[in-house]
Amino acid sequence: MEKPLMIALDFDDLAAVTAFLDRFPDPSQLTVKVGMELFYQAGPAIITDLKKRGCDIFLDLKLFDIPNTVRQAMAQIGQLGVDYVTVHSLGGSAMLKAAKEGLEIGAAKAGVDAPALLAVTELTSISDEVLKNEQHAALPMQDQVLALAQMADQAGCDGVICSALELTTLNAHLRPDFLFVVPGIRMQEDQTGDQVRVASPDQAAADGAKAIVVGRPITKASDPVAAWHRYQNAWQG
């Protein structure tokens, strides 16, 4: 899908994922996010299951280590046939370049397309206060995210994870085909949980997001399919 809505599958195990996805008439319409909780429990088997269902897959493991370790890990991930993966931009340009190299090596070995490499800028749970007083960043949030995104672009990444609040700045300074993937998406009537920098799907779309990530408002809904359609309609306009 050109502008995917990514459902965050924040479940404990494969059985819970199966029960959730079985409620959708056509899971091949879905883009789903597999994070650390699920992947560490189920391992690559979850990717195999999702591929059988025809889902597009965002493997969100947020690698953050020395360049060689990240390169070797991404060489393994590149063989899985997923569509998107993440690293932390704070690992620096050498690590980001190594991640890209590893993905290409792994994908070539498996004969699959390399996934898009997305660099996490600042987590949407990070407030301006935390950025200043705990991370001791010299830049305000908008400038910090922009600097990290520009570094990621120069290092060969295909896009970044950012909040909707930085989209206007990023769109003004980065190439049109750079991917801006936005978590922390909530309708006004939904609880924000541990997210701080949040926005509605229609606001994210208007400000230039290329994809959004929605978790609990869909996965914890009494009718997940209806919730997915509600968010999808707001997102796609």
Side-chain angles (χ1 to χ4, degrees), residues 112-181:
V112 297
D113 292 333
L117 179 61
L118 306 172
V120 178
T121 54
E122 290 289 345
L123 299 172
T124 52
S125 59
I126 299 297
S127 65
D128 293 279
E129 181 180 2
V130 169
L131 182 72
K132 178 181 178 181
N133 297 324
E134 296 183 15
Q135 293 189 7
H136 303 288
L139 299 174
M141 185 69 74
Q142 291 282 338
D143 294 338
Q144 170 82 347
V145 171
L146 175 59
L148 292 172
Q150 289 174 323
M151 178 185 65
D153 187 17
Q154 293 166 6
C157 294
D158 301 289
V160 292
I161 310 294
C162 62
S163 89
L165 305 185
E166 294 92 48
L167 283 170
T168 301
T169 298
L170 294 178
N171 272 294
H173 291 89
L174 287 144
R175 53 189 165 91
D177 60 343
F178 202 61
L179 301 176
F180 303 124
V181 179

Side-chain angles (χ1 to χ4, degrees), residues 98-119:
K100 187 73 170 182
E101 292 167 4
L103 285 177
E104 292 174 348
I105 290 169
K109 182 177 181 180
V112 297
D113 292 333
L117 179 61
L118 306 172

Side-chain angles (χ1 to χ4, degrees), residues 9-158:
L9 299 178
D10 296 327
F11 295 103
D12 292 337
D13 52 39
L14 183 55
V17 173
T18 297
F20 174 76
L21 292 177
D22 282 348
R23 302 181 71 168
F24 287 81
D26 184 7
S28 67
Q29 294 182 331
L30 305 179
T31 300
V32 295
K33 182 177 84 71
V34 175
M36 289 180 278
E37 176 185 12
L38 182 58
F39 192 78
Y40 292 162
Q41 196 283 327
I46 185 64
I47 304 302
T48 301
D49 182 79
L50 293 171
K51 287 175 67 68
K52 287 180 180 177
R53 293 174 180 269
C55 300
D56 286 346
I57 304 169
F58 171 20
L59 183 56
D60 184 24
L61 300 183
K62 299 182 178 71
L63 272 62
F64 192 168
D65 212 313
I66 62 173
N68 186 62
T69 298
V70 170
R71 181 186 294 106
Q72 297 298 94
M74 283 298 191
Q76 298 298 321
I77 291 172
Q79 299 179 53
L80 297 177
V82 298
D83 301 281
Y84 310 87
V85 299
T86 49
V87 289
H88 266 290
S89 60
L90 290 170
S93 59
M95 190 199 76
L96 298 178
K97 291 175 183 177
K100 187 73 170 182
E101 292 167 4
L103 285 177
E104 292 174 348
I105 290 169
K109 182 177 181 180
V112 297
D113 292 333
L117 179 61
L118 306 172
V120 178
T121 54
E122 290 289 345
L123 299 172
T124 52
S125 59
I126 299 297
S127 65
D128 293 279
E129 181 180 2
V130 169
L131 182 72
K132 178 181 178 181
N133 297 324
E134 296 183 15
Q135 293 189 7
H136 303 288
L139 299 174
M141 185 69 74
Q142 291 282 338
D143 294 338
Q144 170 82 347
V145 171
L146 175 59
L148 292 172
Q150 289 174 323
M151 178 185 65
D153 187 17
Q154 293 166 6
C157 294
D158 301 289

